[in-house]
Amino acid sequence: MSFFKLPKISDVSEKLVELKARSITDIQATFVDAAGSTVSTKQVIANSLKFDVTNGFDEQIIAGSVRFKLGNNTFIDRAGTLYRDVDPANNSGTLSGTVQYGTGKVELSSWTPNVDNTLVLQSLTTTTDIPPINQVSFRTPAIPIRPSSLTVVVGTLEFGQLTLRADDNGVIETAEAHGGINYETGFVDLYFYKKTEITAANREDIESKNWYSVELEYAENAKQYINYPVWVAPESVRYNAVAYSYIPLDAEILGLSATRLPLDGRVPIFRVGDIGIISATKMYQMTDHVAGKTYELGDQRIAYCELEDSAGTKVPYDMYVVDYDYGKFTLSGDFALNALVPPLSAKYSYQDMGLIKDVQINGQVTFTKPVTHNYSAADSIVGSALVIGDMQARYTRKFVQPTWSNDWKDEASGGAISAQYNDALYPIQVTNNGATQERWALVFTDNTNFRIIGETSGQIGTGTVNTDCSPINPVTHAPYFTIKKEGWGNGWASGNVLRFNTIAANHPIWVIRTVKQSEPTVLSDSFQIMLRGDIDRVA
């Protein structure tokens, strides 16, 4: 390595010139009779200052070695970018220009005006032993890498500093840099070149380069191109990335053995042959709230729609009617705000459900049929479906026993009795709307009257064998069940029990919501569960 200062004049040459008198008579002479009469000053505004710190030398500058003073400002080099007046307390300075490591050319875009313009070079290191490169490959020490967190900074010989950032897919693509990162393995591979068209004007210059080969040329759209190398100072390459680390979970806390789980704890939710759903959720802002008016959403064939006010309070469902096929909703004729706070808005979603054909490790999911809506990444999600199958309310386990002991077993105890309910001719009627998951006991208080008791509901009413028994579900306002009066036989006595179970048209779902460790930003949090069902429409 060598250390150089700016070149200085080392000699003076002397030249003799013979001057002769001329005899021409029409020579005109112009002279100034007053010393200050023609003196003027012109102010020139420059948008940049350019000079060469390696004037007279052809050697590569080592990254981070340039330091010079211009006026009262001190400039230092960081990977091809110049900063002035760096504060040693916080290591921050003012971005002021660039330096080319291959040519030594400096261009300043920011400096202090009206000061001494003498440039004093304080530090400069050049070399002929470290050749430049046009490819960088390395692997991060920690994996996996968080998507979009990789930043690579390099100093080039001709184009100054390049700051490169990888996108969500790990791709880095600029005019001078091409490559990317595998977020799972942490491997980074970058090539530095510029796609350059070969013309008659530049062919001779390109062919004179020592790296040129005719095999590097390629044709595209009837033109010849070559990937012109962008040379990078290897000592200037640095990167920054965020990697994930995972804490192993205790099997007792997790509730299952984590031995076969991936290191990051993630498990696949999409499999070939499963059902997948694409869903988009949008918000429609209402400009007014006129009773009886119909409002059109921007989409048709929507899956659900509900109205809420500006405070998040839901508008009662009986105050509007939704046309799901055409994407419209109409306020009722007697609509009134009451306690609602305008403006109102409609939150709605539309969906496509299909069979999953293919799943790629990069997250790409392919369906066996095309989607029927337009989806954008901002308001759409893809989810797997929990297939429940057909559901229908029914009753099971009907039997009688002589006495009631508050024992909710599913078989009779205490011997047989002569009384019975004839469900062969008069089955107990249940509906999807009214039935719940419950065990029922009808306990007789005399030979005609009985109490209606549920295992979890408690006593909800009384009944008699002389009329139909239809206790009302207060949630849906439909009967839990209906027992026909014609089905009761004779012989009932006080203490006798008719036992049966009702099975609701629902499916047990275990809902778990995971929130990453962080400080709470809101005081409350909530979510909704929406069931998707297929029905038979009657034309």
Side-chain angles (χ1 to χ4, degrees):
M1 297 184 181
S2 305
F3 295 84
F4 298 97
K5 294 184 179 180
L6 286 177
K8 296 183 178 180
I9 299 175
S10 58
D11 57 65
V12 177
S13 60
E14 181 178 347
K15 186 176 182 181
L16 298 177
V17 179
E18 184 179 358
L19 300 177
K20 297 181 178 180
R22 303 186 65 174
S23 61
I24 301 174
T25 58
D26 58 349
I27 294 177
Q28 296 181 355
T30 303
F31 62 94
V32 178
D33 58 355
S37 61
T38 59
V39 176
S40 62
T41 302
K42 184 177 181 180
Q43 184 176 4
V44 179
I45 299 177
N47 55 7
S48 64
L49 295 180
K50 299 180 181 179
F51 49 87
D52 189 352
V53 293
T54 58
N55 188 21
F57 303 97
D58 187 16
E59 298 182 11
Q60 179 182 326
I61 298 175
I62 293 182
S65 68
V66 179
R67 180 187 177 98
F68 60 88
K69 190 171 184 180
L70 181 64
N72 296 325
N73 301 133
T74 300
F75 297 81
I76 66 171
D77 158 43
R78 292 177 178 173
T81 301
L82 295 175
Y83 294 85
R84 61 182 170 92
D85 300 333
V86 175
D87 187 351
N90 53 25
N91 202 30
S92 64
T94 303
L95 179 64
S96 301
T98 60
V99 56
Q100 297 180 7
Y101 292 140
T103 63
K105 294 180 180 179
V106 171
E107 181 174 353
L108 295 181
S109 58
S110 174
W111 67 91
T112 301
N114 301 322
V115 295
D116 183 11
N117 60 358
T118 301
L119 187 144
V120 179
L121 187 62
Q122 297 179 331
S123 172
L124 176 65
T125 306
T126 62
T127 180
T128 58
D129 299 330
I130 305 178
I133 59 176
N134 69 332
Q135 180 186 0
V136 174
S137 297
F138 62 90
R139 183 181 179 276
T140 60
I143 56 172
I145 301 299
R146 191 184 73 186
S148 302
S149 68
L150 174 70
T151 301
V152 181
V153 180
V154 300
T156 66
L157 302 190
E158 299 178 84
F159 301 98
Q161 177 179 295
L162 299 181
T163 301
L164 313 172
R165 294 180 177 85
D167 62 13
D168 290 341
N169 298 320
V171 177
I172 296 176
E173 187 66 32
T174 67
E176 296 86 11
H178 316 266
I181 177 176
N182 185 319
Y183 289 127
E184 296 298 326
T185 63
F187 183 75
V188 180
D189 196 13
L190 292 174
Y191 294 86
F192 299 92
Y193 61 85
K194 291 194 70 172
K195 180 180 179 181
T196 304
E197 181 184 355
I198 300 178
T199 63
N202 64 8
R203 174 173 287 279
E204 183 179 355
D205 178 64
I206 292 177
E207 292 180 351
S208 65
K209 304 298 182 183
N210 57 4
W211 50 263
Y212 172 79
S213 173
V214 68
E215 297 177 352
L216 298 178
E217 295 188 22
Y218 59 94
E220 185 176 304
N221 298 328
K223 297 181 179 180
Q224 285 295 111
Y225 290 91
I226 194 169
N227 293 333
Y228 199 105
V230 174
W231 300 109
V232 173
E235 73 277 6
S236 69
V237 179
R238 66 181 189 271
Y239 77 93
N240 179 68
V242 178
Y244 290 113
S245 62
Y246 301 94
I247 302 175
L249 298 176
D250 189 344
E252 295 183 359
I253 299 176
L254 189 60
L256 55 87
S257 175
T259 304
R260 296 187 178 182
L261 290 178
L263 293 177
D264 56 7
R266 295 182 297 176
V267 294
I269 64 172
F270 299 106
R271 301 177 184 87
V272 175
D274 284 356
I275 300 295
I277 296 178
I278 307 176
S279 178
T281 301
K282 296 183 179 180
M283 188 73 72
Y284 172 79
Q285 191 73 38
M286 299 173 59
T287 57
D288 53 28
H289 44 272
V290 180
K293 182 177 178 179
T294 298
Y295 298 84
E296 294 189 10
L297 304 172
D299 302 277
Q300 297 182 352
R301 293 179 293 107
I302 61 176
Y304 97 103
C305 176
E306 61 181 10
L307 273 59
E308 60 182 32
D309 67 358
S310 59
T313 304
K314 296 186 183 300
V315 179
Y317 297 110
D318 57 358
M319 299 180 68
Y320 58 93
V321 177
V322 180
D323 187 338
Y324 294 94
D325 290 331
Y326 292 96
K328 303 177 182 179
F329 65 92
T330 303
L331 299 182
S332 60
D334 57 349
F335 178 84
L337 282 177
N338 297 327
L340 299 174
V341 181
L344 304 181
S345 58
K347 184 178 181 181
Y348 70 97
S349 70
Y350 51 85
Q351 301 175 348
D352 274 293
M353 180 174 66
L355 197 65
I356 296 177
K357 176 183 178 182
D358 183 53
V359 180
Q360 297 293 330
I361 195 171
N362 61 0
Q364 179 178 331
V365 179
T366 305
F367 284 5
T368 57
K369 67 175 185 179
V371 297
T372 61
H373 295 88
N374 293 325
Y375 296 93
S376 62
D379 51 29
S380 303
I381 60 173
V382 179
S384 58
L386 174 62
V387 181
I388 296 175
D390 296 336
M391 296 187 298
Q392 183 175 352
R394 62 193 185 277
Y395 76 96
T396 62
R397 301 283 185 174
K398 191 222 74 172
F399 60 88
V400 295
Q401 62 187 42
T403 59
W404 178 241
S405 60
N406 291 320
D407 189 1
W408 294 96
K409 292 182 179 179
D410 286 336
E411 60 273 348
S413 62
I417 60 176
S418 59
Q420 188 58 268
Y421 179 83
N422 187 359
D423 65 331
L425 295 179
Y426 305 100
I428 300 174
Q429 299 175 1
V430 292
T431 62
N432 292 342
N433 195 23
T436 61
Q437 200 81 11
E438 184 65 286
R439 296 178 180 180
W440 299 99
L442 306 187
V443 182
F444 279 79
T445 57
D446 53 35
N447 59 347
T448 59
N449 300 305
F450 53 81
R451 295 182 296 144
I452 307 171
I453 303 173
E455 181 182 16
T456 59
S457 306
Q459 181 171 330
I460 63 171
T462 59
T464 176
V465 297
N466 298 319
T467 60
D468 293 345
C469 178
S470 300
I472 299 300
N473 185 332
V475 177
T476 63
H477 304 290
Y480 286 111
F481 55 83
T482 298
I483 298 179
K484 304 297 290 184
K485 65 180 185 299
E486 293 82 3
W488 295 107
N490 296 322
W492 294 98
S494 177
N496 290 168
V497 179
L498 173 64
R499 269 277 291 112
F500 62 93
N501 302 337
T502 54
I503 308 300
N506 55 24
H507 189 82
I509 300 175
W510 188 10
V511 179
I512 301 177
R513 189 178 192 189
T514 302
V515 180
K516 294 183 178 180
Q517 298 180 10
S518 61
E519 292 298 322
T521 57
V522 295
L523 297 180
S524 62
D525 200 1
S526 63
F527 66 94
Q528 286 181 294
I529 298 178
M530 184 179 69
L531 298 180
R532 179 188 177 97
D534 295 328
I535 62 174
D536 295 329
R537 294 191 177 185
V538 179

